[in-house]
Amino acid sequence: MPPDAAPHTAVCSYTHLFRGASVRVQGLSRPAAYAENPLATGLVLRFADGTATDAEILVSANGEAVLAVSGHTTRAGTRLPERTWLLRGFRALADEVEVTVGVPMA
């Protein structure tokens, strides 16, 4: 499956990411195939407070996946720095993929 070139919408049901949070990636051409074999994918990550930032899923040669998130400010004014998170899993849910966030990388 070729990587999807255009940024996809990803939705987080919270105002920020944390270990155990989930992100739903929408608009992938083959969600089930992507969940089994994720590829690098550009995202626009939208949070529950209506804010959004650029993000990207990156996958190493050994299959380890991370979510790199640009720095942004929440609607309440909290500034969050750029951060990269290990990803714990991918699960296809009908027409989207649920990604489980792991720990932030140091």
Side-chain angles (χ1 to χ4, degrees):
M1 176 173 72
D4 292 283
H8 292 282
T9 298
V11 178
C12 178
S13 298
Y14 301 95
T15 59
H16 61 282
L17 294 175
F18 54 88
R19 185 167 140 206
S22 64
V23 172
R24 294 181 328 276
V25 180
Q26 303 171 338
L28 295 165
S29 56
R30 297 176 49 207
Y34 186 89
E36 288 185 32
N37 187 28
L39 299 169
T41 305
L43 304 171
V44 175
L45 180 55
R46 300 191 181 282
F47 294 95
D49 64 357
T51 60
T53 193
D54 293 331
E56 186 175 11
I57 293 173
L58 303 169
V59 183
S60 69
N62 68 0
E64 183 176 78
V66 298
L67 177 64
V69 181
S70 297
H72 59 284
T73 303
T74 68
R75 172 96 43 211
T78 303
R79 302 185 100 198
L80 300 172
E82 180 176 304
R83 182 167 273 175
T84 300
W85 299 81
L86 289 173
L87 296 176
R88 295 192 327 200
F90 293 79
R91 183 170 66 124
L93 299 173
D95 61 348
E96 58 189 22
V97 173
E98 180 182 63
V99 179
T100 304
V101 176
V103 297
M105 297 180 71

